Amino acid sequence: MIPKIILGKGPKAVRRTIGYLFGPGRANEHIDPHLVASWNGFAPDPGRSPHRDRREVEDQLATQLDQPVKMLGDKAPRYIVWHCPVRAAPEDPILTDDQWAEIARRIVAAAGIAPEGDEDACRWVAVRHADDHIHIVATLVRQDGRRPKRDHDQRAVQREARKIEVDYGLRRLKPGDGTAAKRPTSKEHFKAKRLGQDATSREILRLRVRRAVAAAASEAEFFAFLTATGVDVRPKTEPSGDVTGYSVALPGDVNKQGEPVWFAGSTLAGDLSLPKIRARLADTSPEPFVIPPGDPWHRATAATERIPHHLAHSGEHAAQGQLVALGATLDLLPLTAPTMARAELERAAAVFERATRSRVAADLDSAHVLRRSVQAIWRAPAPGGDGSGLAMLIDAALTAVAFARHWHRTRQHAQQEAAAEQALIHLRNAYAQITGPVLAGLAQRSPGPQAKRRFAHHLQEAVPEQAERILNDPAFDALATVLAEAETAGHNATTLLDQALGQRPLDDARSPAGALTWRIRRLGERHAPSPRAQAANARSAAQRPGTRAHTAVGVPPQQRPPARRR
């Protein structure tokens, strides 16, 4: 059950709200509007007065609701209307008018609008539009002329909604912590539909601002990227010339006066205010952006692979900083992905956004390697090559998001945990779409049976508990290919397998051979050791007592390293 509080102001706010609630709606969505409850139990009902003109009854109801406000004259508060739509989930049972009436009474009591037993409380009505929702409207002056005590009414109403869900057997939503981004209003949804947009302007702008933050190395670049993505930007400049904020608008999104509809960054999301963005950029702004040496896909993957360690062993502030960096990575990945996987990656980034914000302050210093590496990928002319780089990074991101889910769960961050769970679903779908063609291409270059038997034998020796899963995995041929290619480049394939197996367990991997393929690809593409170094390592290993160098089938005796049993 979702309650949402909206405040109204102006001398005609009450009449305007009542007219809307009993009218047809902006898209004829209002079905049989009628009162289910009121402050006194017998307020006039424009929806149930067939022998009277509806507008006349609306005037009467608005006048009665407005009476305490009018009595104050010029001393009336600026905001005089308290409007709270309350909507049930589509799968919830249909409630009766009496049940909705009781829910309305509990909501206004929890909000401080009309505490139970308080005869001088605010005047209010509850209007039912359809099976699944009601609108509660109150005026914000009590009948004794005082203001209602409604401090933190949004939180109080949400807490009461969670209790109502239990009492009425409704779908139980996750409790929030006040860090969620503001949801689009129903008016914004209707407008997006009229404009033919898949999402509201607020949602489109939030995505573009997040991507600009993830891509930018400085504040100037941030604003430049916004402009480049088709966003109108209006800096907030003080008389001193200092820029203290910004607003953004979509071209073509105008109000009734034909003026652009501006959204301040802080209204898109709490972490998109200019001070918060400057804090995010602080680790890169003192020096020019320099692409780190080496393959940025490998560097980004390595940094992402370290996120689980940070979440498990670092302090909360550093862990939260890692989550912010992971969210920025997911924001930019769709721009580097093939068309077939872009939609799933965009959905993953959109839902994981909620998992990047909590009450824990983020320490961003430890995540600058991931941030810079992903920026380098985004700036690369031909990112990803054959897709293996993107597959490697998503494979690491899947583990990182799973650890993020656990991190939030242990801290009872219910909404963030649910967001990470949803992101996992979309990431897995994208992973399957991306890796399928890449693994198939690798499998076509699979080595001969003798090489496969060598690799299989070592797997059975090194990880007997996982060997059957790996060998029966459809991706085993691709794994054999990257092992053979690593040997050709001068690596010891057995050593690489041991290193890849030692990175993290494969118990939770849906495709263990696929996971090993990306690890071997990343390890194998590093500079291969020289023949002298290989020989020295092999002699050192052979001289150690208790080694099992003979298990490295197919490798010359002087180069066989000890096998690792896990």
Side-chain angles (χ1 to χ4, degrees):
M1 176 166 286
I2 303 176
K4 182 178 181 179
I5 296 173
I6 306 166
L7 301 182
K9 61 182 179 180
K12 297 181 179 180
V14 176
R15 181 63 182 87
R16 186 169 58 248
T17 303
I18 293 299
Y20 167 73
L21 294 181
F22 285 95
R26 294 184 177 89
N28 295 313
E29 74 277 12
H30 294 177
I31 303 172
D32 187 25
H34 61 279
L35 291 186
V36 295
S38 65
W39 77 96
N40 57 7
F42 51 85
D45 184 354
R48 290 292 185 269
S49 302
H51 303 298
R52 298 180 59 189
D53 179 80
R54 178 176 59 84
R55 293 184 177 276
E56 179 183 336
V57 184
E58 290 175 4
D59 288 340
Q60 182 182 2
L61 177 59
T63 298
Q64 291 187 16
L65 284 169
D66 221 4
Q67 186 176 6
V69 178
K70 297 298 185 183
M71 290 177 60
L72 290 183
D74 294 340
K75 296 181 180 180
R78 181 185 181 191
Y79 290 96
I80 60 173
V81 172
W82 188 90
H83 179 191
C84 182
V86 183
R87 185 178 297 274
E91 66 270 25
D92 284 340
I94 297 176
L95 303 177
T96 66
D97 280 0
D98 289 342
Q99 289 173 318
W100 276 117
E102 178 58 26
I103 289 171
R105 294 186 188 97
R106 291 176 62 170
I107 292 291
V108 293
I113 295 295
E116 186 176 359
D118 187 346
E119 297 182 356
D120 292 326
C122 297
R123 296 186 176 186
W124 61 273
V125 294
V127 181
R128 183 173 187 175
H129 275 160
D131 289 339
D132 63 347
H133 72 280
I134 61 172
H135 291 254
I136 305 172
V137 177
T139 43
L140 290 175
V141 176
R142 291 167 48 88
Q143 295 181 78
D144 58 10
R146 293 183 295 153
R147 311 283 179 84
K149 295 181 179 179
R150 40 175 290 270
D151 296 336
H152 308 295
D153 54 352
Q154 184 65 58
R155 294 184 189 177
V157 165
Q158 291 290 348
R159 286 195 299 268
E160 188 63 27
R162 304 293 81 80
K163 297 176 184 177
I164 292 170
E165 290 162 358
V166 175
D167 294 344
Y168 284 87
L170 308 177
R171 176 186 174 186
R172 298 177 66 175
L173 301 183
K174 306 294 184 183
D177 59 1
T179 61
K182 185 177 180 180
R183 295 175 179 270
T185 65
S186 58
K187 182 178 180 181
E188 290 176 46
H189 281 296
F190 289 132
K191 185 176 184 180
K193 189 175 181 180
R194 290 198 309 271
L195 295 175
Q197 298 175 177
D198 294 333
T200 65
S201 295
R202 180 188 300 275
E203 293 167 318
I204 295 171
L205 288 168
R206 182 184 299 141
L207 171 62
R208 294 186 185 180
V209 172
R210 283 181 62 85
R211 282 182 175 170
V213 174
S218 66
E219 186 175 330
E221 279 195 351
F222 164 68
F223 286 118
F225 287 152
L226 281 180
T227 302
T229 55
V231 175
D232 293 335
V233 182
R234 182 176 65 181
K236 180 183 178 182
T237 306
E238 299 297 328
S240 62
D242 295 332
V243 176
T244 58
Y246 72 100
S247 298
V248 288
L250 281 181
D253 183 14
V254 297
N255 57 22
K256 293 181 180 179
Q257 290 74 39
E259 301 167 338
V261 178
W262 294 99
F263 293 85
S266 58
T267 64
L268 296 176
D271 57 347
L272 296 182
S273 67
L274 189 56
K276 293 291 182 65
I277 290 174
R278 283 171 172 164
R280 293 255 312 257
L281 299 176
D283 65 316
T284 57
S285 59
E287 58 187 43
F289 182 86
V290 177
I291 297 178
D295 189 328
W297 288 101
H298 291 180
R299 292 181 64 88
T301 301
T304 305
E305 286 176 341
R306 289 193 289 271
I307 290 177
H309 176 82
H310 285 290
L311 295 178
H313 302 290
S314 299
E316 288 200 340
H317 300 297
Q320 181 64 42
Q322 294 291 321
L323 295 180
V324 172
L326 179 57
T329 300
L330 297 182
D331 284 335
L332 289 182
L333 277 188
L335 303 180
T336 69
T339 304
M340 61 183 177
R342 199 166 295 159
E344 288 289 354
L345 287 175
E346 286 179 345
R347 295 186 188 105
V351 295
F352 191 74
E353 176 207 19
R354 184 68 188 93
T356 65
R357 280 181 277 108
S358 71
R359 290 290 181 183
V360 179
D363 177 3
L364 303 170
D365 290 341
S366 65
H368 72 278
V369 173
L370 175 58
R371 174 181 170 82
R372 290 193 172 205
S373 299
V374 174
Q375 287 175 340
I377 290 171
W378 178 75
R379 294 163 188 253
D386 63 353
S388 60
L390 180 59
M392 282 191 296
L393 184 50
I394 295 179
D395 178 64
L398 279 166
T399 304
V401 172
F403 270 77
R405 176 186 59 184
H406 177 74
W407 190 82
H408 284 304
R409 179 186 300 156
T410 58
R411 287 154 183 78
Q412 299 183 338
H413 299 165
Q415 290 189 1
Q416 291 89 335
E417 178 192 347
E421 179 65 41
Q422 289 296 312
L424 275 175
I425 295 173
H426 296 300
L427 275 180
R428 286 169 183 154
N429 293 339
Y431 178 79
Q433 294 169 340
I434 290 167
T435 58
V438 179
L439 292 173
L442 290 172
Q444 290 177 356
R445 307 196 303 272
S446 180
Q450 184 177 358
K452 290 183 183 179
R453 284 195 296 270
R454 282 196 295 113
F455 302 144
H457 182 80
H458 181 70
L459 285 167
Q460 290 165 343
E461 288 288 325
V463 281
E465 70 282 2
Q466 294 285 351
E468 184 175 357
R469 286 184 66 218
I470 297 171
L471 295 176
N472 292 330
D473 189 333
F476 177 71
D477 282 350
L479 173 59
T481 298
V482 296
L483 284 169
E485 290 177 349
E487 283 187 330
T488 302
H491 284 281
N492 186 308
T494 304
T495 302
L496 287 184
L497 258 179
D498 283 341
Q499 291 175 348
L501 290 167
Q503 287 183 352
R504 53 173 274 267
L506 295 168
D507 299 336
D508 58 346
R510 291 193 171 191
S511 172
L516 286 174
T517 297
W518 312 128
R519 298 181 196 178
I520 296 295
R521 171 60 72 89
R522 188 164 67 84
L523 292 169
E525 288 186 4
R526 294 175 179 174
H527 182 65
S530 67
R532 180 179 296 181
Q534 293 184 51
N537 291 338
R539 286 195 299 271
S540 176
Q543 293 169 1
R544 289 197 295 269
T547 62
R548 302 179 67 246
H550 63 280
T551 61
V553 178
V555 181
Q558 72 272 19
Q559 296 185 22
R560 292 173 185 163
R564 179 190 304 174
R565 182 177 294 276
R566 297 182 42 183

